[in-house]
Each structure stands twice: as C-alpha cells, then as structure tokens.
Amino acid sequence: MKKVFKPLVALAVMAAAVSAGAQSYPGGKPITLIVPFAAGGPTDKVARDLAEALRKPLGTTVIVDNAAGAGGSIGANRVAKANPDGYMLLVHHIGMATMPTLVRNIPFKVDSDFEYLGMINDVPMTLIGKPSLPASNYKELVGWINQNKGKINLGNAGVGSASHLCGMLFQHAVGVDMTAVPYKGTGPAMTDLMGGQIDLMCDQTTNTTGVIESKKVKAFAVTSPKRLHTAVLKDLPTLQEMGVKDFNVSIFHGLYAPKGTPPAILKTLNDALKVALKDPDFIKREESLGAVVMTDKRVEPAEHKKFVASEINKWSPLIKAAGVYVE
Ligand code: ASP
C-alpha cells in the first residue's frame, strides 16, 4: 500500500508547492525584461517604458537587460533557454515573425520555445538620412540614390531586424543595391547616422521622432499606408504616396516567457500587462511618438500567438518574392 501512495503524496506535495510558488510570484523578486537590441533604440525604449508601467501591477522591480546582437536572435535565444520561472521575459518585435524567413538557422523555435504573453504596441517606421544628405524630400532622395549607386551605406540593427527588413524592401523597391552596415541596434546606428558615418536608415517612429524634430537627421517618408497624426510626423508622405507600391511595414512588439512557465505565473503576467497598457503615462508617451498601444484581443496570449503565426505567413512569401532573405 505504502509503495502505491508514496508517489501520489509526493505529487500532491509538488503540486501544492508549485501553486504556492505561483501564488507568491513574483514575491518581491526583480523581473528582468531582455531586450534583444542595444540600449537607446526603439525596442529598448518601449521595454523601459513598459518596465515602469509593470512595476505597480506586479509589485516588484522590473529591470531591462540588453542582450544585443545577431539581429535580435541572441536575446531571444537567451529567453528561449532560460528557467521558465517568470523572472526572465523577452520584449521582441516583428523579428519574431520575420526572422524565421529572413534568417535561416535561428537557434530557437518561435512557435514552440516561448509562451506568448500579449502584444504591446504597433509602430510604423520612417526612412531617414544623414543631416548632410543633399536631398530635402523623397523625390530628391531617389535622384541622389541613382547618382550615387554603389556608394550608399544603409544602417540596420543586424540581419533579421526590422530595419534590415525595411531597408532590404526599400532597396528592392528602388532597384539600387546599398551596403548594409549592421549595428547591435538602431540606438547606436542613429548616433552614426547623425554623425554622417552612414547615409540612410529605416527606424521606428518611437526612435526617430525626437531626432527628426531637432533636425539631427533628415526624414523622407513613413512606411505606413496612411500618414501619421503626430505633430512632428504629420507632413511626411507615405512611401506608397511616393509611388512605392504596397509598401507597408509596421513593427509590433510583444512580451514572451520561456516555454513551460507555470500557467498561474503566465496569468499574473498577462493581467499585469493589461494594466500596464492602460497606464495613461505609457499611452501618452507611445502615442506622441506615433505608436499605437494594444488594447484589443491581441493582448490575449492566444491571439498574440495567432497574430505572430499570421505575420509569418504574411511576410514569408513577400520576403521570398523580394529575394531579400539571408542564407
Ligand atoms: N529598430 C531596431 C530594428 O531595426 C531594433 C532596435 O534597436 O530596437 O529592429
């Protein structure tokens, strides 16, 4: 008899411990948000703002750790392989949907190595150039590009990043090859663009609004199908208006945990995310920079996962048709 019951007792004790652990989560222990790009860029910015907004509902410190490199796959891989205890999470962008096609052989599986916690925001990109670039609108930019074939540098946040995707699609659209200059994020790339070390870049409006406003870079177009409404960006034309057919690149960010994180912890995190996304300071900041904060069903884990899967299906043929993937 004893032999039969012992494992059951052990199982009951384990289950009680798991549920007690989940109940006390986070129990004052700090939670780390891994940002797979360098500090100072748009993913870093949204993660830091989110960390602030999550502090109250989670009742603990939320810190940001930049694990940059390889177009966002180093940080994603770190979280994919982390202990699934709710103390290390990932903030990542559209790369979760484009990396599987843009880059072969990523060391993790987007669909099965993560728990999806909900989407955060959606941000269009802007096509920007160094301040000394002798063009003051999109048409002049295209003229300059055609006169400088073979000499143009285009910064990005590494192969597989959003700026890589946008930059490759732009080169394909204008039919001119440019030299890609990879950084660990568009934070450091922006410093070089302002300094004139690189010529052009695509980056999220959350990172470009300030430098466009202060005229530290030149802005040529937005990548959304409609013009934006923010004070700084409202006069920028869309690439579609400028004749680049179907150009529509918008960058979502989402929150992820390692696969196997206990359901009760996932619920605590999703509940906290929903509260954070309603934080008026968070919303105000995001909206002033051209981002849309997620409030709809995409904040639900199942919908988030469905959305990423649909984005993989959307981008895969486009990336392949444009021939812009990296073997
Ligand atoms: N904007 C970057 C990208 O191109 C990422 C970043 O630095 O946040 O993917």
Side-chain angles (χ1 to χ4, degrees):
M1 285 294 273
K2 260 185 192 167
K3 267 183 189 157
V4 176
F5 278 109
K6 250 189 189 163
L8 289 180
V9 170
L11 270 179
V13 170
M14 264 169 64
V18 166
S19 119
Q23 267 161 27
S24 63
Y25 172 85
K29 252 180 93 175
I31 295 170
T32 300
L33 297 186
I34 294 288
V35 168
F37 296 102
T43 317
D44 180 70
K45 283 190 169 99
V46 71
R48 284 177 198 276
D49 288 344
L50 183 71
E52 188 61 39
L54 282 171
R55 246 165 231 162
K56 215 165 164 194
L58 286 171
T60 193
T61 309
V62 181
I63 55 172
V64 168
D65 188 6
N66 301 82
S73 61
I74 288 177
N77 194 41
R78 184 182 295 179
V79 177
K81 311 284 187 304
N83 199 2
D85 59 4
Y87 292 100
M88 186 179 281
L89 310 174
L90 173 71
V91 173
H92 209 322
H93 63 18
I94 192 173
M96 290 294 269
T98 55
M99 266 190 297
T101 316
L102 268 178
V103 196
R104 306 299 163 87
N105 302 321
I106 46 171
F108 53 86
K109 291 200 172 59
V110 164
D111 58 340
S112 56
D113 284 348
F114 298 94
E115 303 286 355
Y116 289 59
L117 289 164
M119 288 167 63
I120 305 165
N121 70 359
D122 198 29
V123 198
M125 299 188 102
T126 35
L127 176 66
I128 52 178
K130 62 182 178 184
S132 60
L133 209 146
S136 45
N137 57 46
Y138 182 78
K139 286 218 164 87
E140 289 176 13
L141 173 70
V142 173
W144 178 83
I145 287 173
N146 282 313
Q147 282 159 14
N148 287 279
K149 284 183 183 166
K151 291 189 240 160
I152 301 170
N153 291 322
L154 183 73
N156 68 35
V159 170
S161 64
S163 44
H164 172 232
L165 171 75
C166 178
M168 284 184 121
L169 293 174
F170 176 66
Q171 287 177 73
H172 180 70
V174 293
V176 176
D177 285 341
M178 304 177 198
T179 306
V181 184
Y183 292 80
K184 287 190 171 176
T186 46
M190 189 67 80
T191 308
D192 273 8
L193 187 70
M194 291 188 298
Q197 282 83 26
I198 50 173
D199 301 311
L200 290 171
M201 186 163 75
C202 276
D203 201 13
Q204 284 105 301
T205 58
T206 39
N207 199 36
T208 62
T209 296
V211 287
I212 292 171
E213 188 175 21
S214 58
K215 302 204 178 348
K216 289 184 177 141
V217 298
K218 286 193 170 178
F220 298 104
V222 288
T223 63
S224 49
K226 284 193 182 148
R227 288 193 183 206
L228 304 178
H229 296 297
T230 64
V232 177
L233 304 174
K234 63 180 176 6
D235 295 327
L236 265 188
T238 67
L239 279 170
Q240 289 193 20
E241 269 176 66
M242 294 290 101
V244 189
K245 209 171 152 261
D246 297 333
F247 204 102
N248 179 7
V249 180
S250 193
I251 310 303
F252 65 87
H253 291 87
L255 188 64
Y256 305 83
K259 188 75 187 170
T261 306
I265 291 180
L266 296 177
K267 172 148 183 15
T268 301
L269 287 166
N270 176 253
D271 287 349
L273 177 64
K274 285 178 181 153
V275 173
L277 298 184
K278 292 206 172 89
D279 182 314
D281 290 338
F282 181 77
I283 295 173
K284 200 169 145 203
R285 184 160 165 70
E286 289 291 305
E287 288 182 349
S288 71
L289 298 174
V292 175
V293 175
M294 292 292 164
T295 50
D296 61 11
K297 56 185 186 170
R298 286 173 291 179
V299 186
E300 299 298 338
E303 287 296 328
H304 177 194
K305 189 163 186 179
K306 226 159 96 186
F307 183 83
V308 173
S310 74
E311 284 281 288
I312 292 174
N313 291 336
K314 171 183 146 183
W315 283 106
S316 178
L318 292 174
I319 291 166
K320 284 179 185 158
V324 296
Y325 51 85
V326 177
E327 291 287 352

